[in-house]
Amino acid sequence: MSSFSDLEELVGKEVTVQLKKDMTIRGRVHSVDDQYLNIKLEDTCVVDQDEYPHMSSKRMKVYPGSGGGQKWTTLEHNGVLFPPPYKPHGVKMLYNGQPVDLTPEQEEVATMFAVMKDTDYAGKQTFIDNFFTDWRKLLGKNHIIKKFKLCDFTPIYEWHLREKEKKKQMTTEEKKALREEKLKQDEKYKWAVVDDVKERVGNFRVEPPGLFKGRGEHPKMGKLKRRIQPSDITINIGKGAPVPECPIPGERWKEVKHDNTVTWLAFWNDPISQKDFKYVFLAASSSLKGQSDKEKYEKSRKLKDHIQNIRDNYTRDFRSKDPTKRQIAVATYLIDKLALSAGNEKDDGVADTVGCCTLKVDNVICIPPNKLQFDFTGNTVEIEELVCKAIEGFHAGKKAGAALFDKLDTTSLNAHLNDLMPGLTAEAFHTYNASITLDGILHEETEDGTLLEKIDVYQRANKEMARVNEKIDELKGQMDELKVDLSKAKEGRSLGNDKDGKPKRNLAPEAIEKKISALESKIEKMEMDKKIKEDMKTCAHVMPKIKYLDPRITLAWCKRHEVPFEKIFNKSLLAKYGWAMDVDPDFRF
DNA sequence: ATTTCAACTTAGCACAATGTCT
DNA sequence: AGACATTGTGCTAAGTTGAAAT
């Protein structure tokens, strides 16, 4: 069972469905109910009522692509590739000015920290504290290193710079040799054979040890992510297939499973968050991934038949008397119109980000009659007046930090979405809106072959915008500095030091004024440039959402206009979209 | 009914590869 | 050829969600 479009063909046919690892049922497909197969079971077929209490033993609903299903029949692969063991460099760091002896293990972690000197992390207290705590565990109680303040990692940092330089200085041949060496090593792990088809493996490399780099103000940043051993890793492989040999002598895998209801080839527990898993999956080009990608788009296409109804409904409920209904209506609207994510509750101990259900009253500011401002992005968006009113209402009587949607969580929101259309999720809205827009654009402007060229131009323009803005900001910064200099110079004071700490040349006020006017005209020119570019970004906003665009829309366009696929998609996207290549030229999303 | 788990998918960054200009 | 800009790729953190466990 693969995609929904195939389901109709199954009506009346005998099917065998694997529900979970060691449990299959057999029966005749009675009908197709939206995404479900209604299967009339054989008389001999008994469904364990304990395991499936909601299903009668005569009929069964099966949702393809979700829990009910075998993912493969045979699976062969070679396991995972471990990072090479640590090679000590022997460069001594200083403590209180004195060189210190470190064991290779201790040196490894010191080096992890040392090489991060020129990143933002190196200056963050949380990062330093977490690193130092974990490192001291390795140093032991009686080690002379006690205070971070007395540590000087520069000798190691400088060694790292020298190594980097050495690498840069390598000849093209040397670099090529190194690359080929690596390729040769990877070859063994790169492939898996799934149901007799050779498929690429995605991430066969085990994550190397390092200091945890969480995004945002992550409380665990800097903690030591320890080295993963074979005894940490669970392998999943076909029953008859040879179990990959453990590459480290004297060690063995934690466990070997033969579970064909999942797609992972291996996993280990994340050392930073023991309850989380790190999986090894097949690459995006594999048919398993392609299938689920296709299902995602098919689900979103279904939204087309429901969207009018859904929008009518939530628009009506903006003024509902029932506050829960009102919140659901507004939440659905935000997801639909602003592509807001669902927003799950998160554990303590991770950086805070927001989605729809985790919005706090202080995250959004209403600007009547029809604008909304988000504090985390600073963006202001236009919304419907009724929504603005409703959100104002949700604010009423709540303290800062209170949930905006107090009657809502992801579970109830998802349940509601499921009522609107089986299988509907927040993400489906994003996919639907992005894809239907692109579909519209590509069918609208067909007079000449320049449309995609336009898109290309737009895309470039969009990226350039960001840079122009940065440049303008930078110039303005320089301007401020010059103005300060000017006033100092006029008073005959010294200009002080520049940002590298070197003293500035003391210039005459006239010279500074000249500089300022030059800068002024430069900024002016840039602003002009920006304006021109702004005019061009009409349809640019669709392209960056590549993950939400059904590739069949673009591929069908290519076929209609005789544009080679390679012009539009790069190599990896072409591989990823293999499942969509045979699309009908007249395909409509 | 509510919480937790397991399995995926997506996001976002850093660096490598490639392209373009001088 | 070297410098700079752009694009591609790999890596891994983070978000989502159906199902299982309380």
Side-chain angles (χ1 to χ4, degrees):
Chain A
M1 262 184 297
S2 48
S3 75
F4 301 119
S5 47
D6 303 337
L7 293 185
E8 302 279 349
E9 295 163 24
L10 289 173
V11 174
K13 298 227 171 80
E14 289 280 337
V15 292
T16 305
V17 182
Q18 177 154 12
L19 290 177
K20 47 160 89 176
K21 198 177 169 198
D22 293 308
M23 189 176 177
T24 54
I25 54 161
R26 186 163 176 78
R28 187 181 300 278
V29 177
H30 174 263
S31 57
V32 177
D33 170 14
D34 227 332
Q35 286 113 321
Y36 296 91
L37 288 180
N38 288 312
I39 299 172
K40 199 169 182 178
L41 302 179
E42 286 178 344
D43 286 342
T44 53
C45 186
V46 180
V47 177
D48 188 339
Q49 293 285 312
D50 285 343
E51 292 212 51
Y52 288 90
H54 56 293
M55 292 176 180
S56 84
S57 54
K58 295 289 166 223
R59 282 278 175 88
M60 187 142 208
K61 276 189 170 185
V62 171
Y63 177 47
S66 78
Q70 173 184 344
K71 302 287 171 55
W72 47 266
T73 306
T74 66
L75 173 64
E76 301 166 39
H77 62 87
N78 291 311
V80 291
L81 177 60
F82 287 90
Y86 179 67
K87 260 210 254 140
H89 48 63
V91 176
K92 293 197 193 335
M93 58 172 291
L94 306 175
Y95 187 71
N96 209 1
Q98 299 300 310
V100 203
D101 284 322
L102 295 175
T103 67
E105 240 193 336
Q106 296 163 350
E107 180 195 286
E108 181 180 17
V109 180
T111 306
M112 289 171 188
F113 184 80
V115 302
M116 291 185 74
K117 188 171 186 215
D118 41 21
T119 70
D120 288 347
Y121 288 110
K124 293 194 178 181
Q125 202 53 48
T126 315
F127 190 88
I128 293 169
D129 290 346
N130 282 332
F131 152 72
F132 198 61
T133 306
D134 283 359
W135 189 43
R136 282 203 67 189
K137 283 182 206 152
L138 280 180
L139 296 172
K141 270 208 180 77
N142 300 319
H143 203 278
I144 49 161
I145 294 180
K146 301 239 186 288
K147 288 187 181 158
F148 177 77
K149 271 198 181 144
L150 298 177
C151 293
D152 181 359
F153 296 91
T154 32
I156 301 182
Y157 175 68
E158 278 160 4
W159 164 83
H160 161 72
L161 289 186
R162 288 197 298 276
E163 288 294 302
K164 230 162 81 177
E165 189 55 29
K166 260 195 229 163
K167 226 175 170 182
K168 224 164 107 189
Q169 293 304 320
M170 277 194 309
T171 63
T172 324
E173 288 83 56
E174 285 172 316
K175 280 182 189 163
K176 203 177 149 199
L178 219 64
R179 239 200 336 261
E180 269 164 22
E181 174 87 17
K182 191 169 161 244
L183 237 52
K184 221 173 93 191
Q185 200 192 22
D186 291 357
E187 185 61 24
K188 176 176 170 191
Y189 300 95
K190 236 182 186 162
W191 304 98
V193 181
V194 186
D195 297 340
D196 299 320
V197 181
K198 195 172 168 184
E199 306 262 32
R200 290 279 290 259
V201 178
N203 53 330
F204 50 82
R205 242 179 272 277
V206 173
E207 291 176 16
L211 300 180
F212 177 71
K213 294 191 232 176
R215 301 196 198 132
E217 290 304 309
H218 201 297
K220 289 189 175 179
M221 63 167 76
K223 279 178 77 69
L224 173 62
K225 197 166 80 165
R226 56 158 257 263
R227 187 174 287 269
I228 300 300
Q229 307 294 346
S231 56
D232 293 313
I233 292 182
T234 301
I235 297 279
N236 191 34
I237 199 157
K239 245 184 185 134
V243 174
E245 200 182 316
C246 178
I248 299 176
E251 293 221 33
R252 48 206 195 97
W253 305 117
K254 182 179 183 184
E255 200 184 344
V256 176
K257 288 197 179 191
H258 311 284
D259 185 350
N260 66 0
T261 66
V262 294
T263 66
W264 53 266
L265 311 185
F267 85 84
W268 66 91
N269 285 99
D270 180 2
I272 291 296
S273 171
Q274 199 61 31
K275 65 174 175 43
D276 290 335
F277 305 86
K278 299 288 195 165
Y279 292 93
V280 174
F281 291 117
L282 292 172
S285 58
S286 66
S287 90
L288 263 170
K289 291 279 191 196
Q291 248 175 49
S292 74
D293 210 27
K294 185 176 176 186
E295 275 159 23
K296 174 183 84 180
Y297 292 114
E298 286 302 304
K299 199 189 276 178
S300 298
R301 280 178 89 196
K302 279 239 152 82
L303 236 186
K304 220 179 10 174
D305 303 329
H306 297 83
I307 194 77
Q308 191 58 50
N309 187 27
I310 290 171
R311 288 179 177 160
D312 288 350
N313 266 317
Y314 67 55
T315 305
R316 176 170 39 78
D317 284 349
F318 287 158
R319 32 170 111 236
S320 167
K321 290 218 169 58
D322 179 351
T324 309
K325 268 194 180 166
R326 235 170 28 237
Q327 292 197 1
I328 283 190
V330 170
T332 314
Y333 172 86
L334 294 180
I335 286 169
D336 184 14
K337 285 284 141 80
L338 307 182
L340 224 58
S341 66
N344 268 308
E345 280 302 332
K346 270 163 287 194
D347 295 350
D348 298 337
V350 291
D352 247 7
T353 50
V354 270
C356 196
C357 293
T358 43
L359 280 175
K360 302 276 186 297
V361 286
D362 21 331
N363 291 138
V364 283
I365 303 159
C366 293
I367 308 171
N370 66 339
K371 292 217 175 77
L372 201 59
Q373 188 176 13
F374 290 96
D375 74 334
F376 42 94
T377 58
N379 287 344
T380 303
V381 288
E382 256 182 53
I383 52 168
E384 284 189 34
E385 290 187 21
L386 279 175
V387 175
C388 197
K389 277 219 182 77
I391 293 177
E392 275 188 304
F394 301 155
H395 272 102
K398 284 179 193 156
K399 284 187 226 141
L404 183 70
F405 296 113
D406 53 303
K407 311 220 178 291
L408 222 58
D409 56 36
T410 43
T411 316
S412 61
L413 182 64
N414 281 329
H416 171 69
L417 295 179
N418 237 293
D419 275 352
L420 296 173
M421 184 191 109
L424 184 60
T425 59
E427 193 210 15
F429 277 98
H430 308 171
T431 311
Y432 169 79
N433 281 323
S435 289
I436 200 82
T437 309
L438 180 69
D439 188 75
I441 292 171
L442 292 191
H443 278 86
E444 232 164 60
E445 303 188 46
T446 41
E447 342 78 59
D448 52 28
T450 62
L451 180 68
L452 275 206
E453 285 166 35
K454 272 189 207 163
I455 287 178
D456 187 54
V457 170
Y458 286 140
Q459 231 174 333
R460 278 169 206 276
N462 226 19
K463 281 206 169 160
E464 275 171 38
M465 280 300 284
R467 258 191 310 130
V468 169
N469 279 331
E470 266 172 41
K471 206 69 196 244
I472 289 176
D473 286 348
E474 192 189 316
L475 292 179
K476 282 186 174 161
Q478 286 177 21
M479 180 68 99
D480 291 344
E481 201 179 321
L482 278 178
K483 281 184 177 159
V484 173
D485 286 357
L486 179 64
S487 62
K488 279 186 186 167
K490 275 183 175 164
E491 293 165 19
R493 285 194 283 144
S494 143
L495 296 188
N497 296 338
D498 67 12
K499 58 179 181 298
D500 296 327
K502 286 176 215 139
K504 285 186 195 169
R505 203 151 60 95
N506 289 324
L507 292 169
E510 297 75 41
I512 299 177
E513 269 166 356
K514 218 168 159 185
K515 270 189 167 178
I516 288 183
S517 73
L519 204 55
E520 247 166 15
S521 62
K522 208 169 165 188
I523 291 178
E524 210 168 288
K525 228 179 103 199
M526 282 257 160
E527 303 261 26
M528 186 76 96
D529 215 27
K530 181 177 156 184
K531 220 171 187 165
I532 295 168
K533 278 168 182 158
E534 242 162 20
D535 292 341
M536 293 165 53
K537 48 173 211 183
T538 333
C539 81
H541 61 282
V542 205
M543 289 316 277
K545 301 186 175 176
I546 189 92
K547 291 212 168 92
Y548 297 115
L549 297 176
D550 189 332
R552 289 171 298 184
I553 301 167
T554 310
L555 292 172
W557 183 92
C558 286
K559 287 184 177 180
R560 293 199 302 280
H561 293 84
E562 295 179 338
V563 173
F565 299 164
E566 300 77 41
K567 278 250 152 73
I568 313 294
F569 292 129
N570 63 36
K571 215 176 70 195
S572 50
L573 285 178
L574 281 176
K576 176 172 174 180
Y577 296 146
W579 60 268
M581 293 294 157
D582 61 354
V583 63
D584 187 299
D586 294 319
F587 174 87
R588 291 305 299 256
F589 181 78

